[in-house]
Amino acid sequence: MPTMVHLRPMTVHDVEAVAAVVDAADRAAERRPGDDYRPPSDEQRGVMDRGTRRFIERDPAGAWVADRDGEVVGIAEAIRRGPFWGLSMLFVHPSAQSQGVGRRLLETALAYADGAELRMIMTSSDPRALRRYSLAGLDIHPAVNADGVVHRSAIPAGLPGRAGDEDDLDLVERVDVSLRGSRREDVEFMLATGARLDVIDSPDGSGYVVSRSDRVAMLGATDERTATALLWRALAQAEGKAHISCLTAQQDWAVRVALTARLSVAPTGPLFVSGMERPPGPWIANGWYF
Ligand SMILES: CC(C)(COP(=O)(O)OP(=O)(O)OC[C@H]1O[C@@H](n2cnc3c(N)ncnc32)[C@H](O)[C@@H]1OP(=O)(O)O)[C@@H](O)C(=O)NCCC(=O)NCCS
């Protein structure tokens, strides 16, 4: 008898299985030379598990698993923030890939987008993912990642701004309104799980950047000059290596910062967007919360 895969809502009992599917799919993914598989650190695993729990609690209609005889072989997690919908995760275990499971999971996660005006997906470069997201009607925006060790001598002196905290969430909300919409509750969650916040709040421009270990995790600003200063602030604090994900043509200002810092810039999976002609400019997306 052929094995059946059925979809069901994700529950807190699936948290470990979700991490296992993501890890197995990541381990099997085709990579560029030098971009070897690295198992998640304990910190990354902790953030992943807390993030999964939050998807289940905050966005239950967007959190699904594909179940094959009691074994989780695929997962989808999507968020909804008012008129915004974003696909945060879509992973199928290598033993179940290319059998239509990803298509079914995406269809279910897309039901959560009903009535949304804006949709986004930050993807890997897996051609199957690109096919799915393009067929779902989103527009492709090619992207690069930046990685490497920041050249300390390139960091501009006298950068404006200061370290931020929960008291700056009003600023976060104010700045994001003209970008893709408020990320306030997600920034609050990221801070609660150990991320760092830096802000600039001046009459000439305002904005914020969230970073975690060596990653620039999210950025929003009123203008590119403020965004540039914020990115430098984040890079100045990176210990050892720094990583910035998913910079599209709208983030050319960030590519220039990365190159001046002597990070390597290389193609990665694109950003898919619908409901907006192009991604916002003085903005860096977060893979889960955009
Ligand atoms: C991307 C992923 C979620 C897709 O799920 P899946 O169950 O493998 O995909 P499906 O079988 O539903 O669909 C794959 C589609 O790509 C097509 N396809 C297969 N190989 C392909 C290739 N090399 N190039 C282009 N299309 C290809 C299939 O024909 C199918 O399209 P169709 O249904 O219109 O015929 C899954 O492969 C995966 O987990 N990959 C690794 C993790 C990842 O990159 N996730 C995306 C992160 S956002």
Side-chain angles (χ1 to χ4, degrees):
M1 213 171 84
T3 45
M4 291 290 288
V5 174
H6 74 277
L7 305 195
R8 61 169 174 79
M10 189 182 288
T11 76
V12 288
H13 304 295
D14 296 316
V15 170
E16 222 171 282
V18 168
V21 168
V22 172
D23 193 50
D26 202 23
R27 203 183 282 262
E30 278 184 32
R31 288 171 195 281
R32 295 162 46 82
D35 177 22
D36 299 331
Y37 165 80
R38 273 178 301 165
S41 65
D42 288 347
E43 186 199 354
Q44 286 167 332
R45 184 61 208 273
V47 170
M48 167 87 187
D49 288 355
R50 283 188 71 176
T52 302
R53 283 177 192 279
R54 179 160 180 260
F55 284 121
I56 295 163
E57 284 156 16
R58 172 64 183 86
D59 294 280
W64 293 85
V65 298
D67 184 313
R68 182 179 62 194
D69 298 332
E71 180 199 4
V72 174
V73 293
I75 65 114
E77 285 160 357
I79 63 162
R80 188 73 194 261
R81 303 285 178 269
F84 178 86
W85 173 92
L87 182 69
S88 308
M89 305 259 265
L90 181 69
F91 284 87
V92 175
H93 190 278
S95 68
Q97 287 176 2
S98 294
Q99 297 162 36
V101 175
R103 178 180 50 74
R104 288 169 60 198
L105 281 165
L106 180 61
E107 274 166 13
T108 308
L110 273 168
Y112 192 36
D114 273 356
E117 289 158 17
L118 190 54
R119 298 167 192 211
M120 279 191 192
I121 306 174
M122 188 196 281
T123 176
S124 70
S125 47
D126 188 318
R128 295 167 294 192
L130 271 55
R131 178 173 172 79
R132 289 272 71 92
Y133 304 150
S134 193
L135 289 177
L138 288 87
D139 300 328
I140 195 163
H141 294 268
V144 295
N145 281 348
D147 279 289
V149 176
V150 177
H151 268 223
R152 312 300 304 175
S153 61
I155 300 170
L159 286 169
R162 57 173 171 80
D165 58 27
E166 290 74 10
D167 290 341
D168 294 304
L169 291 170
D170 284 347
L171 178 149
V172 167
E173 183 154 0
R174 199 169 71 234
V175 168
D176 274 347
V177 164
S178 54
L179 299 169
R180 75 122 195 91
S182 177
R183 298 181 282 184
R184 181 190 182 114
E185 63 177 283
D186 301 306
V187 172
E188 191 172 14
F189 174 74
M190 291 164 88
L191 296 183
T193 55
R196 195 180 61 235
L197 181 69
D198 280 272
V199 300
I200 294 178
D201 195 6
S202 83
D204 298 334
S206 335
Y208 70 93
V209 60
V210 180
S211 25
R212 191 191 289 286
S213 315
D214 59 352
R215 289 186 164 257
V216 176
M218 180 188 272
L219 183 147
T222 50
D223 58 285
E224 287 189 3
R225 201 167 54 90
T226 307
T228 296
L230 284 162
L231 185 55
W232 274 118
R233 275 193 74 90
L235 293 181
Q237 290 169 64
E239 287 160 19
K241 287 191 128 196
H243 178 86
I244 318 168
S245 289
C246 202
L247 304 175
T248 71
Q250 302 312 305
Q251 283 75 45
D252 244 334
W253 59 269
V255 171
R256 285 181 217 294
V257 170
L259 293 175
T260 308
R262 302 205 71 85
L263 304 184
S264 300
V265 166
T268 186
L271 182 71
F272 280 90
V273 172
S274 86
M276 205 178 218
E277 201 172 321
R278 58 181 75 91
W283 168 88
I284 293 178
N286 175 268
W288 281 356
Y289 306 123
F290 305 91

